[in-house]
Amino acid sequence: MKKAAALILLGLMIFSFAPMAHLVKSATVPEYASITGISLGLKDKAVLGPFEVQFIDVDMYWSRLSFQVNGPDGPKLYVVGQGESFVYPAADNQYLNITLTWIRSDTKTALIEIQSPLQKLLSGQKLNVGDTINLPEGFPQISIKLTSTSDTQATFLVTLPYGETQTLVITEGSGGSVRYKLGDVYSYSNYVYIHLLNTTSDGPATVDIYVPKVASTDFKIVREGEEETAPTTTVETVLVYNDLLYVNEKLPITVDNVTYYVKLISATRGAITVEVFKGDQSLGSMILEIGDFPKDVPNAPLKLSVQSAEPDYKRAIIRVYAPIGAQVTPILRQANVIAMIDAVPKEIMLGDNLVVAINVENLGRGDAYDVSVAAPIPNDFELVSMTKTWAFETLPAFTKMPALIYVLKPTKVGEFDIGKVIVTFYDDKSLETGQERVIYSQPLTGIKVYGIPAIDVTAQAYNGTWGSYVTANVGDNVTVRFILTAADGNPDYEFVQNATLLLDLPNSVDGPTAVEVGTIKAGETKTVRVDFKVLKENLTNVKAVLVYADPLGNEHQLELGNLVTINSIPPRVIVKEVPVYPGPEELPKYINQTLANMSDPAPVAKEISAVVEKYNPTTNYWKVLGILFLILALVFGGLTYKYWDESEKLREKLERKKHRRPGGLPKKAEEEERESSEMVEL
């Protein structure tokens, strides 16, 4: 433990002598350089170069004080109260601006602040990286070196005559200042002010340099009856602690086997209150102003100052100076690390990315070290981003990591639990034991992944029978049914909603142009029917587009093209005579029937005979005559049969007329004439 304490003390001592880098963003050049906290008793005076500010008198109530300022313009007398200021020699020609900041009637002293207006010493100075500016002769030997630049910032190393260095990181358009120490107690703040006009990453930086109008660094306090500041015997001290201290915490410092404790009582924006103990004995309380110089602790070989305070967290950064060899026992604090995991939105479509955010925060007083964050990846998700673990060297108390983002892609639909974040770390107490701490976040649950099933759409029309092609007449009603089938899947997470068929109808049919279908779940088939009225003749193609919303409400559409055809054009009959010739076996019979049905078959018979004659190898006139006789017999027989058939029809007709009206009225003369003529014809 002693070895660890020694190492900590050595680290603090090295840290105290290392140059500090201050990021400054002030865009306004300060009006004054100032020396604060100057304590004067009656007849005491503060001397700054050729100027003297002396406290010469006070009223009986210690409410109004008199000061005399001596300088190149002669002595001037001022009477002021607490909080009031006066300038020397005049407001339009200021060298000094003195403020009475506090009147202490109990100690018969006054606290004053001496300010001198800043004025531009160097204008538009250009510096490349590595270049150095030295203040002109007559000023302290202060050097300003440009060490690095970027497009927005420049870094300067300022070296002061007494060996101290200060690093300023200045943003373009802003400035930074350097204080100058005036002995062991006081300092001249804003003694050098650097205003960065412009900078580039590969070019020079341009600056203006400001110094106070009264730039003397010869400063002293002359007490009544003395011509110079009385020497004081001081114990050489070093910085042994420069870190946080929380309210009610007691920091142990051991000097020559005696343990002192520094306890933080309260913290405000401008000052803190501490109580110092020697063992169990209280040595009293002290008020330390933010940024003030180290103050001696009464009856203890310690000096204290405060760098900053954070009242919201009830803490402050305390600097403790003690003799060489002093040991500080670190305060072991426990970190309180919490992790949170979330995803927005928690409902996504299959194929989309799920963006998961992890937040890690330390709510405890102790820092966390070697912090490792592991993100959960469930089985049904793929990691899209490159990172699923993060590591941090330190997570200070009351700080929060930037959000850690990673991306997952789901591989199936359903409701899923992503899981818990795992955080491992050490803190002050676990470092002592060597036992790593592990904490878990609340699980991320209820992530829903939806999908869209494939939709197949067919249609059939009915006009007597069902089919994709039907015929109809103008004025007919034709029923069309649309069959929508969703592919198999999980019906709870794969479906479409607000499905509607938009029909593209020509003016030859009348019917609805939008048909609501509603929700179609995976594995489900829905049928909707629509009636169309045929208005005119046309070959009508019914086209459709299916519009629908996915489970998250996003609009989609599916082009279906032509689904059914309705033909309302009537058929046209085209008569065309096509000659049909009998075969060789049928030819004789055909000739016989043809000649028999002719009124005068003789010319045709002669032509047939002439044709037949060409193909007879030997002319047999008897045979020819026999054939002709046979043909003529057939012809005359056919004619005889025809005349007989006609006579029979006429006889039957006459018989019907003869027996039509038995016992009726006498026939008219024209009827008798008609019958007589028919008989004559017969």
Side-chain angles (χ1 to χ4, degrees), residues 100-119:
L100 176 58
T101 58
W102 196 13
I103 299 174
R104 293 200 58 180
S105 58
D106 56 338
T107 59
K108 309 299 182 184
T109 58
L111 286 180
I112 65 170
E113 179 183 15
I114 299 176
Q115 295 179 320
S116 180
L118 284 180
Q119 59 183 9

Side-chain angles (χ1 to χ4, degrees), residues 127 147 276 310 324 327 339 353 358-359 367 395 400 427 444 449 470 480 524 539 632:
L127 291 172
T147 58
V276 181
E310 296 177 279
I324 297 175
Q327 294 183 350
N353 290 334
I358 297 174
N359 289 288
D367 295 346
L395 181 60
K400 185 177 182 180
D427 57 15
L444 175 58
V449 181
V470 296
V480 177
E524 183 181 15
L539 188 65
L632 291 175

Side-chain angles (χ1 to χ4, degrees), residues 73 76 78 86-97 117 213:
D73 288 2
K76 292 187 178 293
Y78 306 89
F86 53 96
V87 296
Y88 179 88
D92 57 351
N93 182 27
Q94 294 186 38
Y95 280 89
L96 298 179
N97 185 321
K213 193 171 183 178

Side-chain angles (χ1 to χ4, degrees), residues 115-358:
Q115 295 179 320
S116 180
L118 284 180
Q119 59 183 9
K120 190 180 296 184
L121 177 65
L122 301 174
S123 179
Q125 293 291 307
K126 292 184 181 295
L127 291 172
N128 294 312
V129 175
D131 290 350
T132 300
I133 295 177
N134 294 310
L135 295 191
E137 186 177 353
F139 290 88
Q141 295 302 302
I142 299 175
S143 64
I144 302 168
K145 182 179 181 180
L146 179 63
T147 58
S148 66
T149 60
S150 69
D151 288 334
T152 58
Q153 292 180 339
T155 303
F156 300 88
L157 180 65
V158 182
T159 303
L160 300 166
Y162 43 84
E164 181 181 334
T165 60
Q166 297 184 37
T167 300
L168 301 179
V169 181
I170 304 176
T171 302
E172 187 178 56
S174 303
S177 64
V178 175
R179 63 178 178 82
Y180 192 98
K181 290 176 66 174
L182 304 174
D184 295 332
V185 179
Y186 300 100
S187 67
Y188 214 166
S189 63
N190 293 336
Y191 186 82
V192 175
Y193 185 87
I194 304 171
H195 186 235
L196 180 60
L197 301 178
N198 56 68
T199 180
T200 57
S201 59
D202 55 354
T206 306
V207 297
D208 290 339
I209 307 296
Y210 294 81
V211 296
K213 193 171 183 178
V214 179
S216 175
T217 58
D218 182 14
F219 179 78
K220 59 185 177 181
I221 303 297
V222 179
R223 304 300 178 186
E224 182 183 10
E226 298 177 348
E227 290 300 322
E228 59 186 48
T229 305
T232 57
T233 302
T234 59
V235 177
E236 183 178 357
T237 60
V238 294
L239 182 65
V240 295
Y241 187 81
N242 183 23
D243 209 340
L244 287 171
L245 192 64
Y246 287 86
V247 170
N248 294 328
E249 283 186 341
K250 296 173 72 173
L251 178 68
I253 305 104
T254 302
V255 181
D256 295 333
N257 297 324
V258 178
T259 302
Y260 300 87
Y261 298 91
V262 178
K263 180 181 179 181
L264 180 61
I265 303 300
S266 65
T268 64
R269 297 291 179 188
I272 67 169
T273 302
V274 295
E275 186 176 5
V276 181
F277 295 84
K278 182 179 181 180
D280 296 332
Q281 179 185 0
S282 175
L283 301 179
S285 299
M286 299 176 62
I287 298 176
L288 304 176
E289 296 181 357
I290 306 299
D292 202 355
F293 286 97
K295 290 187 176 180
D296 292 322
V297 177
N299 304 316
L302 303 176
K303 289 185 178 182
L304 302 177
S305 68
V306 57
Q307 179 179 342
S308 63
E310 296 177 279
D312 294 339
Y313 300 116
K314 297 182 179 180
R315 65 184 184 182
I317 296 181
I318 302 292
R319 287 179 173 174
V320 180
Y321 299 83
I324 297 175
Q327 294 183 350
V328 176
T329 303
I331 299 175
L332 301 181
R333 303 184 182 97
Q334 187 171 353
N336 180 16
V337 177
I338 62 170
M340 294 167 286
I341 183 172
D342 198 4
V344 178
K346 293 186 178 180
E347 296 183 348
I348 61 173
M349 297 297 298
L350 186 66
D352 292 345
N353 290 334
L354 179 68
V355 180
V356 184
I358 297 174

Side-chain angles (χ1 to χ4, degrees), residues 560-602:
L560 301 174
N562 181 30
L563 295 178
V564 294
T565 301
I566 302 173
N567 187 358
S568 59
I569 302 175
R572 291 180 174 84
V573 179
I574 301 175
V575 179
K576 183 178 181 180
E577 294 184 358
V578 178
V580 179
Y581 300 100
E585 297 83 2
E586 300 175 336
L587 184 59
K589 183 178 180 182
Y590 176 74
I591 293 174
N592 185 29
Q593 290 178 353
T594 302
L595 294 175
N597 292 329
M598 293 178 64
S599 60
D600 186 10

